[in-house]
Amino acid sequence: MRVARTIAEARAFRAAAEGAVGLVPTMGGFHAGHIALLAAARAECDAVVVSLFVNPPQFGEEADLLAYPRDEEHDLAVAAEAGVDIAFCPAASEVYPAGFQTWVDVTELGSMLEGVHRPGHFRGVATVCLKLFNIIQPDLVYFGQKDAQQVEVIRRLLRDLDLEIDLHVLPTVRDADGLALSSRNALLTPDERRRALALPRALATKDPDRARTELDGLAVDYVEVAPFHPPVLAAAVRVGTVRLIDNVVLDEEEAHEHQAA
Ligand code: AMP
């Protein structure tokens, strides 16, 4: 596995790759959810690129950015083990050089649900993803259903800006107790983790009213049916200092029933 730290290196490594190139954009902190994306890319592509970049503009509060779990050495070992060909690990100054001022805003999709609580988040996500797509020029990109709104934003971005990239979305990977894997789970105390289990329990009802009842006592940012492709029941809660998001896929009938209600 080759590690590129600059855009020039990443471009050079990519230019040498043959056949279908798959990109898995990540912020590191690898767990089985990331590994599932890497495995799918390895199975379906000739060359696999993973990016590890904790993207400052998609964080609202600096404390959240500073607390974000980072372990590059571990992540690179996991990526190599998963058969990744190229790991792109740029510094923030490489991605956002002095004078940077060009942003991509997926206006409507980026301002609902998560966007209400994290203004500017999806602008940061869309901008860094378009930059990664331009640098790596992948044929396929891999994202997790765990971040359903992010998937919908990327789907819209690819379509609106005429990018010829196939979007592959993989199911949410969960721990045995139902909690969706997330790099942020490492920040939960044992008691917070126990309380966080209300989130997957609530979503499993596939019913926003019942889900709200299950979440009683937690700080809930939203529980909503979202008109994505596929539709989902999505929720965000805060447990201690950690904010968790999760969703469950609905079929059209389930979504219609609860949107109409
Ligand atoms: P992150 O490093 O958190 O930005 O995530 C990188 C990619 O992994 C994104 O496409 C996420 O949606 C995906 N991902 C994160 N957690 C999970 C999970 N539990 N199951 C499946 N995919 C995930």
Side-chain angles (χ1 to χ4, degrees):
M1 184 177 78
R2 285 175 296 178
V3 179
R5 302 247 169 228
T6 64
I7 292 168
E9 278 173 323
R11 284 193 195 280
F13 292 167
R14 194 275 175 246
E18 286 173 8
V21 172
L23 169 67
V24 183
T26 81
M27 300 202 297
F30 285 174
H31 51 61
H34 297 107
I35 294 170
L37 296 179
L38 297 175
R42 183 65 284 166
E44 295 165 5
C45 305
D46 297 302
V48 177
V49 184
V50 67
S51 58
L52 289 97
F53 179 60
V54 181
N55 180 39
Q58 73 186 68
F59 288 80
E61 290 158 30
E62 189 161 27
D64 188 27
L65 173 63
L66 294 175
Y68 199 83
R70 292 171 174 83
D71 188 351
E72 189 187 273
E73 201 180 326
H74 166 260
D75 291 341
L76 290 179
V78 170
E81 178 70 19
V84 168
D85 299 294
I86 302 167
F88 179 37
C89 314
S93 57
E94 180 76 5
V95 179
Y96 299 103
F100 185 92
Q101 55 189 283
T102 307
W103 298 96
V104 183
D105 206 353
V106 181
T107 51
E108 270 177 50
L109 278 171
S111 56
M112 63 199 289
L113 296 173
E114 278 294 287
V116 172
H117 298 273
R118 304 184 72 187
H121 170 69
F122 288 111
R123 185 174 94 141
V125 169
T127 302
V128 81
C129 284
L130 182 60
K131 283 179 66 86
L132 290 168
F133 299 166
N134 284 335
I135 293 164
I136 304 299
Q137 303 196 11
D139 301 289
L140 304 93
V141 288
Y142 291 82
F143 285 85
Q145 179 65 27
K146 158 80 167 44
D147 299 283
Q149 191 172 355
Q150 172 169 274
V151 167
E152 203 65 13
V153 162
I154 298 300
R155 193 191 309 287
R156 194 73 236 176
L157 167 95
L158 294 175
R159 183 157 173 206
D160 287 353
L161 298 184
D162 305 299
L163 296 166
E164 285 192 307
I165 298 176
D166 275 350
L167 173 61
H168 285 216
V169 181
L170 280 121
T172 302
V173 178
R174 298 177 181 280
D175 263 332
D177 58 11
L179 192 65
L181 298 185
S182 163
S183 310
R184 287 191 171 89
N185 293 354
L187 305 172
L188 294 168
T189 65
D191 180 56
E192 286 167 349
R193 194 192 152 93
R194 192 184 47 71
R195 287 193 286 135
L197 292 179
L199 180 56
R201 235 182 8 245
L203 292 172
T205 66
K206 296 193 169 187
D207 176 328
D209 294 332
R210 286 169 60 201
R212 277 182 206 109
T213 308
E214 285 283 347
L215 293 173
D216 202 24
L218 287 184
V220 178
D221 279 351
Y222 61 84
V223 187
E224 302 282 347
V225 173
F228 300 157
H229 304 88
V232 296
L233 176 61
V237 298
R238 283 165 283 122
V239 187
T241 58
V242 185
R243 190 168 177 282
L244 298 172
I245 63 168
D246 195 357
N247 68 89
V248 63
V249 172
L250 304 177
D251 62 34
E252 293 296 338
E253 202 175 314
E254 289 164 338
H256 185 71
E257 191 182 322
H258 294 299
Q259 267 167 343

